[in-house]
Amino acid sequence: MAKNVEMDNQAINLIGTGTTIEGNVTSNGDIRVDGVLKGVLNTKGKVIVGESGKINGEVHCKNFEVEGTIDGKTFVSELLSLRANSKLTGEITTNKLAIE
C-alpha cells in the first residue's frame, strides 16, 4: 500500500550579488536576495534581503528580514525584521514588526 507523503519544501533560493531579475517571482521556499529584483516577489516562506540586496516592487511572504533596500509595498503575514542599515520606502502590512 502506497503512502502519500507531502514534502515540506525547505529549499533556499538565492539571487546573488551582480544579478538583476525583472519580473514576478513565486516560490514555496525561502528566498535570499543579494542582487536586484524588480517586480513582485510572492513566497510562502521567509525572505532575506542582504546588505547589497534591493527589491523594487511588492513583497508577499511569511517572514521578512531586511538589511538592504526595499522600495514598494510589503505584505508580511508574521514577522518583519528591519536591521540597522536597512532602508524601506513604501507601505508596510505586517502582524509583528522588529526594528534593530
Side-chain angles (χ1 to χ4, degrees):
M1 181 156 130
K3 189 176 186 183
N4 288 338
V5 177
E6 195 171 305
M7 301 278 298
D8 187 17
N9 189 353
Q10 295 298 322
I12 297 175
N13 302 288
L14 175 66
I15 299 172
T17 306
T19 301
T20 300
I21 294 179
E22 294 184 26
N24 299 336
V25 176
T26 303
S27 175
N28 287 329
D30 298 342
I31 297 178
R32 180 175 176 96
V33 179
D34 290 314
V36 178
L37 174 64
K38 297 177 182 179
V40 178
L41 173 58
N42 192 351
T43 183
K44 294 178 183 177
K46 181 177 184 177
V47 176
I48 300 171
V49 177
E51 280 190 64
S52 63
K54 279 186 171 184
I55 296 179
N56 295 323
E58 287 188 12
V59 177
H60 301 264
C61 62
K62 185 175 180 181
N63 292 299
F64 195 16
E65 186 176 317
V66 182
E67 293 182 63
T69 305
I70 308 298
D71 187 7
K73 295 181 181 180
T74 303
F75 302 92
V76 183
S77 63
E78 290 187 10
L79 175 64
L80 170 61
S81 298
L82 300 176
R83 300 294 179 201
N85 52 348
S86 65
K87 295 177 184 172
L88 195 144
T89 306
E91 297 178 24
I92 297 172
T93 303
T94 186
N95 191 22
K96 294 179 184 177
L97 177 63
I99 300 174
E100 183 176 67

